[in-house]
Amino acid sequence: MSPSSLPLTLVIVLAELAAGGLWVLLFSQARGQATPAFIKFCAAMMFVVAAIAFFVAAAVSVGDDVDGYPLRESAMGPARWALAGVFAASALYAYATIREHRAAAFALGGAASAIGLVALGLLARVVSGPTWGYPLVLANFVIGSLVVGLAGLGMTLGHWYLVTPRLPEKPLRELTGLLVVAMAVQALFLAPALLLPHDTVHTSVDKTITSNMFFYLRIGFGLAFPALLAWMSYDSAGVRAMQSSTGLLYIVMVLVICGEVVAKGLLFTSGVPT
């Protein structure tokens, strides 16, 4: 992994967390089974995440390449504007949610979620040059967003059960079950990502992806192990072992975010989205 790719990697992972968190939160709000306090807290939390994503993107300088990996610099400006839109819309969404303006909250949450998808699409455009193609990179970013969003909000939801143990287990089971499915889909995308042709990337890390030890860390500790823990969390929630379920989700969230960072680092050294 190239240290010079870390700033742009951070921008992408923060954008994934902001977009994915908004999608999952809007889903939970529409389902109407999570407590209002959880929805309000997460709406405020996603505003903070969106703010961090925007300000980091505004501060990161992007040129024609990063350590030999070619970039589309022209798409980075619109990506920053899209992240600014997520920041603004999430602020209004949080306000409407906290003030319990339900119709306005859904409209603003939908707008923030849609702009988040646009931001991911533009960031995928920035980095897709050497890869097999833009659709594969965009799909990788979208699935990664769902995984980090489900892991983060699932872990947060688990805390409500620690305070109010009699809450129904269905909301947590839904999020952890969806997390397992999303991680399975993410794993399935590895095959086409590795098999489809891509340009050779000449960086300071002169290795193919399968000879890079970080690739196996990504597979083992960024996908397989957290997927197993997510399933254990789902199963624990089913028997109302909420403390165990939440503890497992802590580990899942950390591993998933670290796995996304490693995946984006591998992209910049190999041209393969994992």
Side-chain angles (χ1 to χ4, degrees):
M1 295 177 66
S2 171
S4 58
S5 68
L6 288 177
L8 187 52
T9 293
L10 180 60
V11 171
I12 296 171
V13 173
L14 285 170
E16 285 184 345
L17 184 57
L22 285 165
W23 300 340
V24 175
L25 178 57
L26 200 62
F27 168 78
S28 296
Q29 194 171 13
R31 293 287 290 161
Q33 296 177 346
T35 65
F38 166 74
I39 299 297
K40 291 176 183 179
F41 176 82
C42 287
M45 182 175 70
M46 296 321 303
F47 160 66
V48 173
V49 173
I52 295 171
F54 165 64
F55 285 114
V56 170
V60 169
S61 177
V62 173
D64 292 331
D65 72 279
V66 54
D67 191 26
Y69 184 99
L71 303 172
R72 289 189 176 93
E73 183 183 3
S74 60
M76 191 60 197
R80 290 191 182 99
W81 279 109
L83 287 172
V86 177
F87 170 39
S90 64
L92 295 172
Y93 171 52
Y95 176 79
T97 300
I98 292 168
R99 300 291 295 177
E100 299 184 354
H101 300 311
R102 185 174 175 83
F106 275 112
L108 291 165
S113 298
I115 301 170
L117 180 60
V118 171
L120 291 176
L122 290 166
L123 288 170
R125 180 72 178 164
V126 172
V127 302
S128 64
T131 68
W132 172 79
Y134 174 78
L136 185 63
V137 179
L138 178 58
N140 177 268
F141 284 10
V142 169
I143 296 169
S145 298
L146 285 171
V147 170
V148 295
L150 286 163
L153 267 70
M155 184 275 295
T156 306
L157 178 59
H159 287 78
W160 261 253
Y161 293 88
L162 305 182
V163 176
T164 312
R166 293 188 179 182
L167 291 173
E169 69 272 11
K170 189 174 181 180
L172 186 59
R173 290 267 287 178
E174 280 188 344
L175 292 191
T176 51
L178 287 171
L179 175 59
V180 173
V181 172
M183 296 192 76
V185 174
Q186 193 174 40
L188 289 174
F189 264 81
L190 282 174
L194 292 171
L195 294 175
L196 289 170
H198 59 87
D199 294 343
T200 300
V201 181
H202 298 287
T203 71
S204 60
V205 183
D206 189 18
K207 291 182 179 180
T208 61
I209 190 168
T210 53
S211 65
N212 192 323
M213 69 172 185
F214 285 102
F215 173 69
Y216 300 98
L217 288 174
R218 164 62 171 160
I219 300 302
F221 292 97
L223 283 175
F225 188 45
L228 174 62
L229 295 181
W231 169 256
M232 292 170 63
S233 176
Y234 172 80
D235 193 51
S236 297
V239 295
R240 296 200 63 82
M242 297 308 186
Q243 208 165 10
S244 298
S245 182
T246 304
L248 289 166
L249 285 170
Y250 263 114
I251 305 172
V252 170
M253 183 186 69
V254 171
L255 291 176
V256 159
I257 292 175
C258 291
E260 284 299 306
V261 171
V262 172
K264 300 310 178 280
L266 288 169
L267 171 66
F268 288 121
T269 59
S270 66
V272 178
T274 59

